[in-house]
């Protein structure tokens, strides 16, 4: 099977398995060729409470200029956290140009959880992510991010299946062709809800929550799906597969002494 050239456009964390640091080993193990364009450098994951950040927008300007001169092309691009609106506009334009050449665009609008924005994110971040969704073939917001993107109220106790479908449709109207919304409580059941634009069908996949919070699980989830899709899998099957892998890895690491580092991915790659 022909493997894909996948470009990761996301932040790079020095201490912790999140963002590009989580995605690279997964794509590599699945046999894909991996390339990176860091949106910022972060010293460690945010739950530690102290961290250093260096934005890389000026570097991206020069890197994309050189890549265009060299004629580099990718089969897929995955995007994560954007450091500024300028950066998002630049990356979105690059994605549009690549999509016109046949590149699949996957967008994870990283900006919040549990009903609120992450530290350092603001209204500008929401605008950034709407810009990114406008070029997406598939996006992966969690429930909080879907609400922020669509100006829908966040309901801590959950939503109905009808409300979930409405939320999916509102995300689609921003521009993403297919949608997966994670971390939902739908009719009192933890679920992932989505829409596959290839089949024109909605899907609802329930799961049992393990009450422990690892940073980077969303990055693992989306990477497994992207890797499977690039291998020709269907969206529904790839999503269920990724959900089962994530559940297994969280369960095996739930008693780790330092969960702020994220899941030690390399120890479990043979399960993919």
């Amino acid at each position: 099977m022909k493997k894909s050239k996948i470009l990761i456009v996301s932040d790079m964390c020095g201490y912790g398995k999140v963002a590009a640091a989580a995605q690279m080993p997964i794509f590599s193990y699945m046999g894909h060729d991996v390339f990176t364009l860091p949106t910022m450098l972060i010293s460690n994951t945010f739950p530690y409470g102290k961290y250093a950040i260096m934005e890389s927008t000026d570097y991206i300007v020069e890197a994309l200029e050189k890549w265009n001169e060299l004629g580099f092309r990718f089969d897929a691009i995955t995007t994560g956290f954007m450091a500024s609106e300028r950066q998002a506009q630049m990356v979105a334009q690059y994605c549009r140009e690549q999509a016109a050449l046949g590149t699949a665009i996957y967008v994870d609008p990283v900006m919040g959880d549990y009903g609120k924005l992450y530290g350092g994110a603001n209204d500008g971040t929401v605008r950034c992510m709407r810009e990114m969704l406008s070029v997406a073939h598939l996006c992966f917001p969690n429930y909080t991010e879907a609400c922020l993107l669509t100006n829908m109220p966040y309901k801590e106790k959950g939503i109905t299946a009808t409300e979930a479908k409405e939320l999916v449709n509102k995300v689609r109207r921003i521009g993403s062709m297919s949608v997966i919304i994670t971390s939902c409580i739908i009719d009192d059941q933890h679920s992932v809800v989505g829409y596959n634009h290839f089949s024109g069908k909605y899907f609802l996949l329930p799961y049992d929550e393990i009450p422990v919070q690892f940073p980077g699980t969303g990055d693992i989830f989306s990477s497994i799906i992207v890797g499977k899709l690039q291998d020709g899998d269907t969206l529904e099957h790839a999503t269920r597969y990724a959900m089962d892998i994530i559940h297994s890895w969280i369960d095996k690491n739930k008693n780790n002494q330092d969960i702020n580092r994220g899941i030690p991915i390399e120890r479990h790659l043979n399960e993919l």
Side-chain angles (χ1 to χ4, degrees):
M1 180 182 295
K2 181 180 181 296
K3 291 295 182 174
S4 295
K5 294 170 63 179
I6 301 177
L7 172 64
I8 300 168
V9 185
S10 189
D11 52 289
M12 177 64 75
C13 183
Y15 192 92
K17 291 297 180 180
V18 300
Q23 295 175 282
M24 291 170 66
I26 290 172
F27 287 143
S28 294
Y29 187 84
M30 296 178 81
H32 300 294
D33 294 329
V34 186
F35 306 86
T36 59
L37 186 66
T39 57
M40 65 168 60
L41 303 181
I42 304 177
S43 60
N44 48 268
T45 58
F46 291 151
Y48 286 108
K50 298 179 180 179
Y51 44 85
I53 291 179
M54 183 173 69
E55 184 181 335
S56 55
T57 303
D58 291 340
Y59 163 77
I60 290 176
V61 172
E62 294 190 34
L64 292 182
E65 180 182 302
K66 297 299 183 292
W67 287 4
N68 285 329
E69 290 174 3
L70 292 165
F72 292 162
R73 297 289 180 264
F74 305 97
D75 299 302
I77 298 175
T78 73
T79 72
F81 188 77
M82 294 289 127
S84 66
E85 290 184 71
R86 176 184 172 225
Q87 191 180 86
Q89 291 167 355
M90 187 185 316
V91 172
Q93 179 58 32
Y94 182 72
C95 287
R96 286 189 189 94
E97 294 167 359
Q98 291 286 298
L101 299 171
T103 301
I105 309 298
Y106 302 99
V107 174
D108 187 356
V110 180
M111 57 182 169
D113 207 351
Y114 300 100
K116 58 185 179 180
L117 290 164
Y118 292 135
N122 52 40
D123 290 342
T125 309
V126 179
R127 290 192 295 271
C128 288
M129 293 310 174
R130 287 184 183 137
E131 177 77 15
M132 293 308 307
L133 256 66
S134 72
V135 301
H137 293 107
L138 171 64
C139 66
F140 308 90
N142 61 34
Y143 173 52
T144 294
E145 290 158 349
C147 290
L148 290 167
L149 288 164
T150 60
N151 292 316
M152 293 285 281
Y154 175 86
K155 298 182 178 180
E156 186 176 355
K157 294 184 178 180
I159 55 179
T160 65
T162 299
E163 290 172 323
K165 183 176 179 180
E166 179 185 3
L167 186 60
V168 168
N169 286 336
K170 283 183 177 291
V171 173
R172 288 176 58 210
R173 289 187 196 112
I174 299 173
S176 185
M177 295 181 183
S178 293
V179 175
I180 295 173
I181 302 177
T182 64
S183 304
C184 297
I185 299 176
I186 301 174
D187 293 332
D188 300 319
Q189 171 68 58
H190 291 280
S191 304
V192 170
V193 62
Y195 173 81
N196 183 345
H197 83 278
F198 287 110
S199 65
K201 294 181 179 179
Y202 297 86
F203 56 92
L204 183 65
L205 304 174
Y207 64 92
D208 295 323
E209 184 183 44
I210 300 173
V212 60
Q213 299 173 23
F214 282 97
T217 52
D219 304 306
I220 297 171
F221 174 78
S222 63
S223 298
I224 294 172
I225 292 175
V226 170
K228 295 288 283 183
L229 291 177
Q230 290 301 121
D231 280 342
D233 202 354
T234 64
L235 182 59
E236 293 90 333
H237 184 268
T239 303
R240 181 79 264 179
Y241 178 85
M243 291 168 66
D244 292 343
I245 289 289
I246 283 287
H247 189 276
S248 172
W249 290 5
I250 291 175
D251 188 53
K252 290 176 179 176
N253 290 278
K254 62 187 177 185
N255 295 318
N256 288 5
Q257 186 174 1
D258 184 5
I259 64 173
N260 291 336
R261 288 169 54 187
I263 292 173
I265 295 168
E266 289 83 357
R267 300 178 192 176
H268 305 291
L269 289 173
N270 62 345
E271 297 178 35
L272 291 174

